[in-house]
Coordinates of all heavy atoms in Angstrom, one line a residue:
M204 N 0.9 2.2 20.2 CA 1.5 1.4 21.2 C 0.6 1.2 22.3 O -0.2 2.2 22.7 CB 2.7 2.2 21.6 CG 4.0 1.4 21.4 SD 5.5 2.1 22.2 CE 5.7 3.5 21.2
D205 N 0.6 0.1 22.9 CA -0.2 -0.1 24.1 C 0.7 0.1 25.4 O 1.7 0.6 25.3 CB -0.9 -1.5 24.1 CG 0.1 -2.6 24.1 OD1 1.3 -2.4 24.4 OD2 -0.2 -3.8 23.8
L206 N 0.1 -0.3 26.6 CA 0.8 0.0 27.8 C 2.1 -0.7 27.9 O 3.0 -0.2 28.7 CB -0.1 -0.3 29.0 CG -1.4 0.6 29.1 CD1 -2.3 0.0 30.3 CD2 -1.0 2.0 29.4
V207 N 2.3 -1.8 27.3 CA 3.6 -2.5 27.4 C 4.5 -2.3 26.3 O 5.5 -2.9 26.1 CB 3.4 -4.1 27.6 CG1 2.7 -4.4 28.9 CG2 2.6 -4.6 26.4
G208 N 4.2 -1.3 25.5 CA 5.0 -0.8 24.4 C 4.9 -1.6 23.1 O 5.8 -1.5 22.2
L209 N 3.8 -2.3 22.9 CA 3.6 -3.1 21.7 C 2.4 -2.6 21.0 O 1.7 -1.7 21.4 CB 3.5 -4.6 22.0 CG 4.7 -5.2 22.6 CD1 4.5 -6.7 23.0 CD2 5.9 -5.1 21.7
S210 N 2.1 -3.1 19.8 CA 1.0 -2.7 19.0 C 0.4 -3.9 18.3 O 1.0 -4.9 18.2 CB 1.4 -1.6 18.0 OG 0.3 -1.1 17.3
D211 N -0.8 -3.8 17.7 CA -1.4 -4.8 16.9 C -1.7 -4.2 15.5 O -2.9 -4.0 15.2 CB -2.8 -5.3 17.5 CG -2.5 -5.9 18.9 OD1 -1.5 -6.5 19.1 OD2 -3.5 -5.8 19.7
P212 N -0.6 -4.0 14.7 CA -0.8 -3.3 13.4 C -1.3 -4.2 12.3 O -1.3 -5.4 12.4 CB 0.7 -2.9 13.1 CG 1.5 -3.9 13.8 CD 0.8 -4.3 15.1
Y213 N -2.0 -3.5 11.4 CA -2.4 -4.1 10.2 C -2.3 -3.0 9.1 O -2.1 -1.8 9.4 CB -3.8 -4.6 10.3 CG -4.9 -3.5 10.6 CD1 -5.5 -2.8 9.6 CD2 -5.1 -3.3 12.0 CE1 -6.4 -1.8 9.9 CE2 -6.1 -2.3 12.3 CZ -6.7 -1.6 11.3 OH -7.6 -0.6 11.6
V214 N -2.5 -3.4 7.9 CA -2.4 -2.5 6.7 C -3.7 -2.5 6.0 O -4.2 -3.5 5.7 CB -1.2 -2.9 5.7 CG1 -1.2 -2.0 4.6 CG2 0.1 -2.9 6.5
K215 N -4.1 -1.3 5.6 CA -5.3 -1.1 4.7 C -4.8 -0.7 3.4 O -4.0 0.2 3.3 CB -6.2 0.0 5.3 CG -7.0 -0.3 6.5 CD -7.9 0.8 6.9 CE -8.7 0.5 8.2 NZ -9.6 1.7 8.6
V216 N -5.3 -1.4 2.4 CA -4.8 -1.2 1.0 C -6.1 -0.6 0.3 O -7.1 -1.2 0.3 CB -4.3 -2.4 0.3 CG1 -3.9 -2.1 -1.1 CG2 -3.1 -3.0 1.1
S217 N -6.0 0.6 -0.2 CA -7.0 1.2 -1.0 C -6.7 1.4 -2.4 O -5.6 1.9 -2.7 CB -7.4 2.6 -0.4 OG -7.8 2.4 0.9
L218 N -7.6 1.0 -3.3 CA -7.4 1.2 -4.7 C -8.2 2.5 -5.0 O -9.4 2.6 -4.8 CB -8.0 0.1 -5.6 CG -8.0 0.3 -7.1 CD1 -6.6 0.5 -7.6 CD2 -8.7 -0.8 -7.8
M219 N -7.4 3.5 -5.4 CA -8.0 4.9 -5.6 C -7.9 5.3 -7.1 O -7.0 4.9 -7.8 CB -7.1 5.9 -4.8 CG -7.0 5.6 -3.4 SD -8.4 5.8 -2.4 CE -8.7 7.5 -2.4
S220 N -8.8 6.0 -7.5 CA -8.9 6.6 -8.9 C -9.1 8.1 -8.6 O -10.3 8.5 -8.3 CB -10.0 6.1 -9.7 OG -9.9 6.7 -11.0
G221 N -8.1 8.9 -8.6 CA -8.2 10.3 -8.2 C -8.4 10.4 -6.7 O -7.8 9.7 -5.9
E222 N -9.5 11.0 -6.3 CA -9.9 11.1 -4.9 C -11.0 10.0 -4.5 O -11.4 9.9 -3.4 CB -10.5 12.4 -4.6 CG -9.5 13.6 -4.8 CD -8.4 13.5 -3.8 OE1 -8.6 13.2 -2.6 OE2 -7.2 13.8 -4.2
K223 N -11.4 9.2 -5.5 CA -12.4 8.2 -5.3 C -11.8 6.8 -4.9 O -11.0 6.3 -5.7 CB -13.3 8.1 -6.5 CG -14.5 7.1 -6.3 CD -15.3 7.1 -7.6 CE -16.4 6.1 -7.4 NZ -17.2 6.0 -8.7
R224 N -12.3 6.2 -3.8 CA -11.8 4.9 -3.5 C -12.7 3.9 -4.1 O -13.9 3.9 -4.0 CB -11.9 4.7 -1.9 CG -11.4 3.3 -1.5 CD -11.3 3.0 -0.1 NE -12.4 3.6 0.7 CZ -12.3 4.0 1.9 NH1 -11.1 4.0 2.6 NH2 -13.2 4.6 2.6
L225 N -12.0 3.0 -4.9 CA -12.7 2.0 -5.7 C -12.8 0.7 -4.9 O -13.8 0.0 -5.1 CB -12.0 1.7 -7.0 CG -11.8 2.9 -7.9 CD1 -11.0 2.5 -9.1 CD2 -13.1 3.5 -8.3
K226 N -11.9 0.4 -4.1 CA -11.9 -0.8 -3.3 C -10.9 -0.8 -2.2 O -9.9 0.0 -2.3 CB -11.5 -2.0 -4.3 CG -11.7 -3.4 -3.6 CD -11.4 -4.5 -4.6 CE -11.7 -5.8 -3.9 NZ -11.5 -7.0 -4.7
K227 N -11.2 -1.5 -1.1 CA -10.2 -1.5 0.0 C -10.2 -2.9 0.6 O -11.2 -3.6 0.6 CB -10.5 -0.5 1.1 CG -11.7 -0.8 2.0 CD -11.8 0.3 3.1 CE -13.0 -0.1 3.9 NZ -13.2 0.9 5.0
V228 N -9.0 -3.3 1.0 CA -8.8 -4.6 1.7 C -7.9 -4.4 2.9 O -7.3 -3.3 2.9 CB -8.2 -5.7 0.7 CG1 -9.2 -6.0 -0.4 CG2 -6.9 -5.2 0.1
K229 N -7.8 -5.4 3.8 CA -7.0 -5.2 5.0 C -6.3 -6.4 5.2 O -6.8 -7.6 4.9 CB -7.9 -5.0 6.1 CG -7.3 -4.6 7.4 CD -8.4 -4.2 8.5 CE -8.7 -5.4 9.3 NZ -9.6 -5.1 10.5
T230 N -5.0 -6.3 5.7 CA -4.2 -7.5 6.0 C -4.7 -8.1 7.3 O -5.5 -7.5 8.1 CB -2.7 -7.1 6.2 OG1 -2.6 -6.3 7.3 CG2 -2.2 -6.4 4.9
A231 N -4.1 -9.2 7.6 CA -4.3 -9.8 8.9 C -3.6 -8.9 10.0 O -2.6 -8.2 9.7 CB -3.8 -11.2 9.0
V232 N -4.0 -8.9 11.2 CA -3.4 -8.2 12.3 C -2.1 -9.0 12.8 O -2.2 -10.2 12.9 CB -4.4 -8.0 13.5 CG1 -3.7 -7.4 14.7 CG2 -5.6 -7.2 13.1
R233 N -1.1 -8.2 13.0 CA 0.1 -8.9 13.5 C 0.2 -8.4 14.9 O 0.5 -7.3 15.3 CB 1.4 -8.3 12.8 CG 1.4 -8.7 11.3 CD 1.6 -10.1 11.1 NE 1.6 -10.4 9.7 CZ 0.7 -11.1 9.0 NH1 -0.4 -11.5 9.5 NH2 0.9 -11.3 7.7
A234 N -0.1 -9.3 15.8 CA -0.3 -9.1 17.3 C 1.0 -8.8 18.0 O 2.0 -9.4 17.7 CB -1.1 -10.2 17.9
K235 N 0.9 -7.8 18.8 CA 2.0 -7.5 19.8 C 3.4 -7.3 19.2 O 4.4 -7.9 19.6 CB 2.1 -8.6 20.9 CG 0.8 -8.7 21.7 CD 0.8 -9.9 22.6 CE -0.6 -10.0 23.3 NZ -0.6 -11.1 24.2
T236 N 3.4 -6.4 18.2 CA 4.7 -6.1 17.6 C 4.7 -4.6 17.1 O 3.7 -4.1 16.8 CB 5.0 -7.0 16.4 OG1 6.3 -6.7 15.9 CG2 4.0 -6.9 15.3
L237 N 5.9 -4.1 17.1 CA 6.1 -2.8 16.5 C 6.8 -2.9 15.1 O 7.1 -1.9 14.5 CB 6.9 -1.8 17.4 CG 6.2 -1.4 18.7 CD1 7.1 -0.6 19.6 CD2 4.9 -0.7 18.4
E238 N 7.2 -4.1 14.8 CA 8.0 -4.3 13.5 C 7.3 -5.5 12.8 O 7.9 -6.5 12.6 CB 9.5 -4.6 13.8 CG 10.2 -3.5 14.5 CD 11.7 -3.7 14.7 OE1 12.2 -4.7 14.1 OE2 12.2 -3.0 15.5
P239 N 6.1 -5.2 12.3 CA 5.4 -6.3 11.6 C 6.0 -6.6 10.2 O 6.5 -5.8 9.6 CB 3.9 -5.8 11.5 CG 4.2 -4.3 11.4 CD 5.4 -4.0 12.3
T240 N 5.8 -7.9 9.8 CA 6.2 -8.3 8.5 C 4.9 -8.9 7.9 O 4.2 -9.7 8.5 CB 7.3 -9.4 8.5 OG1 8.4 -8.8 9.1 CG2 7.6 -9.8 7.1
Y241 N 4.6 -8.4 6.7 CA 3.4 -8.9 6.0 C 3.9 -9.6 4.7 O 4.7 -9.1 3.9 CB 2.5 -7.7 5.6 CG 2.1 -6.9 6.7 CD1 2.8 -5.8 7.2 CD2 1.0 -7.3 7.4 CE1 2.3 -5.1 8.3 CE2 0.5 -6.6 8.5 CZ 1.2 -5.5 8.9 OH 0.8 -4.8 10.1
N242 N 3.4 -10.8 4.5 CA 3.6 -11.5 3.2 C 2.3 -11.9 2.7 O 1.9 -13.1 2.6 CB 4.5 -12.8 3.6 CG 5.0 -13.5 2.3 OD1 5.0 -12.9 1.2 ND2 5.3 -14.7 2.4
E243 N 1.5 -10.9 2.3 CA 0.2 -11.1 1.8 C 0.1 -10.5 0.3 O 0.8 -9.5 0.1 CB -0.9 -10.5 2.7 CG -0.8 -11.1 4.0 CD -1.9 -10.6 4.9 OE1 -3.0 -10.3 4.5 OE2 -1.6 -10.4 6.1
T244 N -0.7 -11.0 -0.5 CA -0.8 -10.6 -1.9 C -2.2 -10.1 -2.1 O -3.2 -10.7 -1.7 CB -0.5 -11.7 -2.9 OG1 0.8 -12.1 -2.6 CG2 -0.6 -11.2 -4.3
F245 N -2.4 -9.0 -2.8 CA -3.6 -8.4 -3.1 C -3.7 -8.2 -4.7 O -2.6 -7.6 -5.1 CB -4.0 -7.1 -2.4 CG -4.0 -7.2 -0.9 CD1 -2.9 -6.8 -0.2 CD2 -5.0 -7.8 -0.3 CE1 -2.9 -6.9 1.2 CE2 -5.0 -7.9 1.1 CZ -4.0 -7.5 1.8
S246 N -4.7 -8.6 -5.3 CA -4.8 -8.4 -6.7 C -6.0 -7.5 -7.1 O -7.1 -7.8 -6.5 CB -4.9 -9.7 -7.5 OG -3.7 -10.5 -7.3
F247 N -5.8 -6.6 -7.9 CA -6.9 -5.7 -8.4 C -6.9 -5.7 -9.9 O -5.8 -5.6 -10.5 CB -6.6 -4.2 -7.9 CG -6.6 -4.1 -6.4 CD1 -5.4 -4.0 -5.8 CD2 -7.8 -4.0 -5.7 CE1 -5.4 -3.8 -4.4 CE2 -7.8 -3.8 -4.3 CZ -6.5 -3.7 -3.6
D248 N -8.0 -5.7 -10.5 CA -8.1 -5.5 -11.9 C -8.2 -4.0 -12.1 O -9.2 -3.3 -11.5 CB -9.4 -6.1 -12.5 CG -9.3 -7.6 -12.5 OD1 -8.2 -8.2 -12.8 OD2 -10.3 -8.3 -12.3
I249 N -7.2 -3.4 -12.7 CA -7.2 -2.0 -12.8 C -7.0 -1.5 -14.2 O -6.5 -2.2 -15.1 CB -6.0 -1.5 -11.9 CG1 -4.7 -2.0 -12.3 CG2 -6.3 -1.7 -10.5 CD1 -3.5 -1.4 -11.6
S250 N -7.4 -0.3 -14.4 CA -7.1 0.4 -15.6 C -6.0 1.4 -15.3 O -5.6 1.5 -14.1 CB -8.3 1.1 -16.2 OG -8.8 2.1 -15.2
P251 N -5.5 2.2 -16.2 CA -4.5 3.2 -15.8 C -4.9 4.2 -14.8 O -5.4 5.3 -15.2 CB -4.1 3.8 -17.2 CG -4.5 2.9 -18.2 CD -5.8 2.2 -17.6
S252 N -4.9 3.8 -13.6 CA -5.3 4.7 -12.5 C -4.2 4.8 -11.5 O -3.2 4.1 -11.7 CB -6.6 4.3 -11.8 OG -6.5 3.0 -11.3
Q253 N -4.3 5.5 -10.4 CA -3.3 5.6 -9.4 C -3.7 4.8 -8.2 O -4.8 4.8 -7.8 CB -3.1 7.1 -9.1 CG -2.1 7.3 -8.0 CD -1.8 8.8 -7.8 OE1 -1.7 9.5 -8.8 NE2 -1.7 9.2 -6.6
I254 N -2.7 4.1 -7.7 CA -2.9 3.3 -6.5 C -2.2 4.0 -5.3 O -1.0 4.3 -5.4 CB -2.4 1.8 -6.6 CG1 -3.0 1.2 -7.8 CG2 -2.6 1.1 -5.3 CD1 -2.4 -0.2 -8.1
T255 N -2.9 4.2 -4.2 CA -2.3 4.8 -3.0 C -2.5 3.8 -1.9 O -3.7 3.4 -1.7 CB -3.0 6.1 -2.7 OG1 -2.9 7.0 -3.8 CG2 -2.3 6.7 -1.4
V256 N -1.5 3.4 -1.2 CA -1.6 2.5 -0.1 C -1.3 3.3 1.2 O -0.3 3.9 1.3 CB -0.5 1.3 -0.3 CG1 -0.6 0.3 0.8 CG2 -0.6 0.7 -1.6
Y257 N -2.3 3.2 2.1 CA -2.2 3.9 3.3 C -1.8 3.0 4.4 O -2.5 1.9 4.5 CB -3.5 4.7 3.6 CG -3.8 5.7 2.7 CD1 -4.7 5.5 1.6 CD2 -3.3 7.0 2.7 CE1 -5.0 6.4 0.7 CE2 -3.6 8.0 1.8 CZ -4.5 7.7 0.8 OH -4.8 8.6 -0.1
F258 N -0.9 3.3 5.3 CA -0.5 2.5 6.4 C -1.0 3.1 7.7 O -0.3 3.7 8.4 CB 1.0 2.3 6.4 CG 1.5 1.5 5.3 CD1 1.7 2.0 4.1 CD2 1.6 0.1 5.4 CE1 2.2 1.3 2.9 CE2 2.0 -0.7 4.3 CZ 2.3 0.0 3.1
Q259 N -2.3 3.0 8.0 CA -3.0 3.4 9.1 C -2.4 4.7 9.6 O -2.0 4.8 10.8 CB -3.0 2.3 10.2 CG -4.1 2.6 11.2 CD -4.1 1.4 12.2 OE1 -3.3 0.6 12.3 NE2 -5.1 1.4 13.0
K260 N -2.4 5.8 8.8 CA -1.9 7.1 9.2 C -0.4 7.1 9.5 O 0.0 8.1 10.2 CB -2.8 7.7 10.2 CG -4.2 7.9 9.6 CD -5.1 8.7 10.6 CE -6.5 8.7 10.0 NZ -7.4 9.6 10.6
V261 N 0.3 6.1 9.3 CA 1.8 6.2 9.6 C 2.5 6.7 8.4 O 3.5 7.4 8.5 CB 2.3 4.7 10.0 CG1 3.8 4.7 10.1 CG2 1.6 4.3 11.2
G262 N 2.0 6.2 7.2 CA 2.7 6.6 6.0 C 1.9 6.1 4.8 O 0.9 5.5 5.0
K263 N 2.5 6.3 3.6 CA 1.8 5.9 2.4 C 2.7 5.5 1.3 O 3.9 5.9 1.3 CB 0.7 6.8 1.9 CG 1.4 8.1 1.3 CD 0.3 9.0 0.8 CE 1.0 10.3 0.2 NZ 0.0 11.2 -0.4
V264 N 2.2 4.7 0.3 CA 3.0 4.4 -0.9 C 2.1 4.7 -2.0 O 0.9 4.3 -2.0 CB 3.5 3.0 -0.9 CG1 4.1 2.6 -2.2 CG2 4.4 2.6 0.2
V265 N 2.5 5.4 -3.0 CA 1.7 5.7 -4.2 C 2.3 5.1 -5.4 O 3.5 5.2 -5.7 CB 1.6 7.2 -4.4 CG1 0.8 7.5 -5.7 CG2 1.0 8.0 -3.2
L266 N 1.5 4.3 -6.2 CA 1.9 3.6 -7.4 C 1.0 4.2 -8.5 O -0.2 4.4 -8.2 CB 1.7 2.1 -7.3 CG 2.4 1.4 -6.2 CD1 2.0 -0.1 -6.3 CD2 3.9 1.6 -6.2
G267 N 1.5 4.4 -9.7 CA 0.6 4.9 -10.8 C 1.4 5.8 -11.7 O 2.5 6.2 -11.4
P268 N 0.7 6.2 -12.8 CA 1.3 7.1 -13.8 C 1.7 8.5 -13.2 O 2.6 9.1 -13.7 CB 0.3 7.2 -14.9 CG -1.0 6.9 -14.2 CD -0.7 5.9 -13.1
N269 N 1.1 8.9 -12.1 CA 1.4 10.2 -11.5 C 2.4 10.1 -10.3 O 2.6 11.1 -9.7 CB 0.1 10.9 -11.1 CG -0.8 11.2 -12.2 OD1 -0.4 11.4 -13.3 ND2 -2.1 11.0 -12.0
A270 N 2.8 8.8 -10.0 CA 3.7 8.6 -8.9 C 5.1 9.1 -9.4 O 5.4 9.4 -10.5 CB 3.7 7.2 -8.5
V271 N 6.0 9.1 -8.4 CA 7.4 9.4 -8.7 C 8.3 8.4 -8.0 O 7.9 7.6 -7.2 CB 7.8 10.9 -8.1 CG1 7.0 12.0 -8.8 CG2 7.6 10.9 -6.6
G272 N 9.6 8.4 -8.5 CA 10.6 7.4 -7.9 C 10.2 6.0 -8.1 O 9.8 5.6 -9.1
T273 N 10.3 5.2 -7.0 CA 10.1 3.8 -7.0 C 8.6 3.5 -7.3 O 8.3 2.4 -7.9 CB 10.5 3.1 -5.7 OG1 9.8 3.7 -4.6 CG2 12.0 3.3 -5.5
G274 N 7.7 4.4 -6.9 CA 6.2 4.2 -7.2 C 6.0 4.1 -8.7 O 5.2 3.3 -9.2
L275 N 6.6 5.0 -9.4 CA 6.4 5.1 -10.8 C 7.2 3.9 -11.6 O 6.7 3.3 -12.4 CB 6.9 6.5 -11.5 CG 6.9 6.6 -12.9 CD1 5.4 6.5 -13.4 CD2 7.4 8.0 -13.3
E276 N 8.3 3.6 -11.0 CA 9.2 2.5 -11.5 C 8.4 1.2 -11.4 O 8.3 0.4 -12.3 CB 10.5 2.4 -10.8 CG 11.4 1.2 -11.2 CD 12.6 1.1 -10.3 OE1 13.1 2.2 -9.9 OE2 13.0 0.0 -10.0
H277 N 7.8 1.0 -10.2 CA 7.1 -0.3 -10.0 C 5.8 -0.3 -10.9 O 5.5 -1.3 -11.5 CB 6.6 -0.3 -8.5 CG 6.1 -1.6 -8.1 ND1 5.7 -1.9 -6.8 CD2 5.8 -2.7 -8.7 CE1 5.2 -3.2 -6.7 NE2 5.3 -3.7 -7.9
W278 N 5.1 0.8 -11.1 CA 4.0 0.9 -12.0 C 4.4 0.5 -13.4 O 3.7 -0.3 -14.1 CB 3.5 2.3 -12.0 CG 2.2 2.5 -12.8 CD1 2.2 3.0 -14.1 CD2 0.9 2.1 -12.5 NE1 0.9 3.1 -14.5 CE2 0.1 2.4 -13.6 CE3 0.3 1.4 -11.5 CZ2 -1.2 2.2 -13.7 CZ3 -1.0 1.1 -11.5 CH2 -1.8 1.6 -12.6
K279 N 5.5 1.0 -13.9 CA 5.9 0.7 -15.3 C 6.3 -0.8 -15.4 O 6.0 -1.4 -16.4 CB 7.1 1.6 -15.7 CG 6.7 3.1 -15.9 CD 7.9 3.9 -16.2 CE 7.6 5.4 -16.5 NZ 8.7 6.1 -16.8
N280 N 7.0 -1.3 -14.3 CA 7.3 -2.7 -14.4 C 6.1 -3.6 -14.4 O 6.0 -4.6 -15.1 CB 8.2 -3.1 -13.2 CG 9.6 -2.5 -13.3 OD1 10.1 -2.1 -14.4 ND2 10.3 -2.3 -12.1
M281 N 5.0 -3.2 -13.7 CA 3.8 -4.0 -13.6 C 3.1 -4.0 -15.0 O 2.7 -5.0 -15.5 CB 2.8 -3.5 -12.6 CG 3.2 -3.8 -11.1 SD 2.0 -3.4 -10.0 CE 1.8 -1.6 -10.1
L282 N 3.1 -2.9 -15.7 CA 2.5 -2.8 -17.0 C 3.3 -3.6 -18.0 O 2.8 -4.3 -18.9 CB 2.4 -1.3 -17.5 CG 1.5 -0.4 -16.7 CD1 1.6 1.0 -17.2 CD2 0.1 -0.9 -16.7
A283 N 4.7 -3.6 -17.9 CA 5.5 -4.3 -18.8 C 5.4 -5.8 -18.6 O 5.6 -6.6 -19.6 CB 7.0 -3.9 -18.6
E284 N 5.2 -6.3 -17.4 CA 5.2 -7.7 -17.1 C 3.8 -8.3 -17.0 O 3.6 -9.5 -16.7 CB 5.9 -8.0 -15.8 CG 7.3 -7.6 -15.7 CD 8.2 -8.4 -16.7 OE1 7.9 -9.6 -16.9 OE2 9.1 -7.9 -17.2
E285 N 2.7 -7.5 -17.3 CA 1.4 -8.0 -17.2 C 1.2 -9.3 -18.0 O 1.7 -9.4 -19.1 CB 0.4 -6.9 -17.8 CG -1.0 -7.3 -17.6 CD -1.9 -6.2 -18.2 OE1 -1.5 -5.3 -18.9 OE2 -3.1 -6.4 -18.0
P286 N 0.6 -10.4 -17.5 CA -0.2 -10.4 -16.3 C 0.6 -11.0 -15.1 O 0.0 -11.4 -14.1 CB -1.3 -11.5 -16.7 CG -0.6 -12.4 -17.6 CD 0.4 -11.6 -18.4
E287 N 1.9 -11.1 -15.2 CA 2.7 -11.7 -14.1 C 2.8 -10.6 -12.9 O 3.0 -9.4 -13.2 CB 4.1 -12.0 -14.6 CG 4.2 -13.1 -15.6 CD 3.6 -14.4 -15.1 OE1 3.9 -14.8 -14.0 OE2 2.8 -15.1 -15.9
P288 N 2.8 -11.1 -11.7 CA 3.0 -10.2 -10.5 C 4.4 -9.6 -10.5 O 5.3 -10.3 -10.9 CB 2.7 -11.0 -9.3 CG 2.8 -12.4 -9.8 CD 2.5 -12.4 -11.3
V289 N 4.5 -8.4 -10.0 CA 5.8 -7.8 -9.9 C 5.9 -7.3 -8.5 O 5.1 -6.6 -8.0 CB 6.0 -6.6 -10.8 CG1 7.2 -5.8 -10.6 CG2 5.8 -7.0 -12.3
T290 N 6.9 -7.8 -7.7 CA 7.1 -7.5 -6.3 C 8.2 -6.5 -6.2 O 9.3 -6.6 -6.8 CB 7.5 -8.9 -5.5 OG1 6.5 -9.8 -5.8 CG2 7.7 -8.6 -4.1
Q291 N 8.0 -5.6 -5.3 CA 9.0 -4.5 -5.1 C 8.8 -4.0 -3.6 O 7.7 -3.7 -3.3 CB 8.9 -3.5 -6.1 CG 10.0 -2.4 -6.0 CD 10.1 -1.5 -7.2 OE1 9.7 -1.8 -8.3 NE2 10.5 -0.3 -6.9
W292 N 9.8 -3.7 -2.9 CA 9.7 -3.1 -1.6 C 9.6 -1.6 -1.8 O 10.2 -1.0 -2.7 CB 11.0 -3.4 -0.8 CG 11.0 -4.7 -0.2 CD1 11.7 -5.8 -0.8 CD2 10.4 -5.2 1.0 NE1 11.5 -6.9 0.0 CE2 10.8 -6.6 1.1 CE3 9.6 -4.6 2.0 CZ2 10.3 -7.4 2.1 CZ3 9.2 -5.4 3.0 CH2 9.5 -6.7 3.1
H293 N 8.9 -0.9 -0.9 CA 8.7 0.5 -1.0 C 8.9 1.1 0.4 O 8.4 0.5 1.4 CB 7.3 0.9 -1.5 CG 7.1 0.6 -2.9 ND1 7.5 1.4 -4.0 CD2 6.5 -0.5 -3.5 CE1 7.1 0.8 -5.1 NE2 6.6 -0.4 -4.8
Q294 N 9.6 2.3 0.5 CA 9.7 3.0 1.8 C 8.5 3.8 1.9 O 8.0 4.5 1.0 CB 11.0 3.8 1.7 CG 11.2 4.5 3.1 CD 12.6 5.2 3.1 OE1 13.3 5.2 2.1 NE2 12.9 5.9 4.1
L295 N 7.9 3.9 3.1 CA 6.7 4.7 3.4 C 7.1 6.2 3.2 O 8.2 6.6 3.6 CB 6.2 4.5 4.8 CG 5.6 3.2 5.1 CD1 5.2 3.1 6.6 CD2 4.4 2.9 4.2
Q296 N 6.2 6.9 2.7 CA 6.3 8.4 2.5 C 5.4 9.0 3.5 O 4.3 8.5 3.9 CB 5.9 8.8 1.1 CG 6.8 8.2 0.1 CD 8.2 8.5 0.2 OE1 8.6 9.7 0.4 NE2 9.1 7.5 0.1
P297 N 5.7 10.2 4.0 CA 4.9 10.9 5.0 C 3.5 11.1 4.4 O 3.3 11.4 3.3 CB 5.6 12.2 5.2 CG 6.9 12.1 4.6 CD 6.9 11.0 3.6
M298 N 2.5 11.1 5.3 CA 1.1 11.4 5.0 C 1.1 13.0 4.8 O 1.8 13.7 5.5 CB 0.2 11.0 6.1 CG 0.2 9.5 6.4 SD -0.4 8.5 5.0 CE -2.2 8.7 5.2
T299 N 0.2 13.4 3.9 CA 0.0 14.9 3.7 C -1.4 15.2 4.3 O -2.2 14.3 4.7 CB 0.1 15.2 2.3 OG1 -1.0 14.5 1.5 CG2 1.5 14.9 1.7
D300 N -1.7 16.5 4.3 CA -3.0 16.9 4.8 C -4.1 16.3 4.1 O -5.2 16.1 4.5 CB -3.1 18.4 4.8 CG -2.2 19.1 5.8 OD1 -1.8 18.4 6.8 OD2 -1.8 20.3 5.6
R301 N -3.9 16.1 2.7 CA -4.9 15.5 1.8 C -5.0 14.0 2.0 O -5.9 13.4 1.4 CB -4.7 15.9 0.4 CG -4.8 17.3 0.1 CD -4.5 17.6 -1.3 NE -4.7 16.5 -2.2 CZ -5.0 16.6 -3.4 NH1 -5.2 17.7 -4.0 NH2 -5.2 15.5 -4.1
S302 N -4.0 13.4 2.6 CA -4.0 11.9 2.7 C -4.9 11.4 3.8 O -5.0 11.9 4.8 CB -2.6 11.4 3.0 OG -1.8 11.9 2.0

């Protein structure tokens, strides 16, 4: 937050394989807001690896075969619908010491 109570948030998306980052991209900055909405699409050519999405140390979303809950559900839906995109909302999970 800045002095007037707003922020200029953006999202960094990292394609991870284990602890190794394979690729990263960043959304556009949403100026002067604490409740940003992003309608951007990122496509990665991936093998069965795990995707972890970090939201600038606010939280994360994990997709992949080792994910749980909606992250695993989304992963399975993406594999079943390939090559069509699969859209799903995810709630941010807390960052851990390793994140």
Side-chain angles (χ1 to χ4, degrees):
M204 240 187 291
D205 61 16
L206 294 175
V207 294
L209 297 176
S210 185
D211 297 328
Y213 60 90
V214 175
K215 289 182 182 177
V216 178
S217 297
L218 175 62
M219 307 290 290
S220 179
E222 298 293 320
K223 183 179 178 184
R224 181 174 38 212
L225 303 176
K226 187 172 182 179
K227 73 177 180 179
V228 292
K229 186 173 96 170
T230 66
V232 173
R233 300 293 184 247
K235 301 178 183 175
T236 183
L237 292 178
E238 297 182 18
T240 299
Y241 300 94
N242 189 18
E243 299 183 37
T244 302
F245 300 103
S246 296
F247 298 101
D248 290 325
I249 58 174
S250 62
S252 61
Q253 181 171 315
I254 301 172
T255 304
V256 182
Y257 297 96
F258 292 85
Q259 200 176 11
K260 299 191 179 188
V261 173
K263 69 178 180 178
V264 173
V265 177
L266 306 176
N269 299 323
V271 295
T273 59
L275 180 58
E276 177 185 326
H277 192 175
W278 180 257
K279 289 177 179 178
N280 290 340
M281 287 189 296
L282 294 176
E284 297 296 327
E285 186 182 6
E287 297 298 318
V289 177
T290 302
Q291 185 171 331
W292 286 95
H293 294 275
Q294 185 173 357
L295 290 177
Q296 300 301 313
M298 301 293 283
T299 61
D300 292 337
R301 292 178 27 155
S302 301

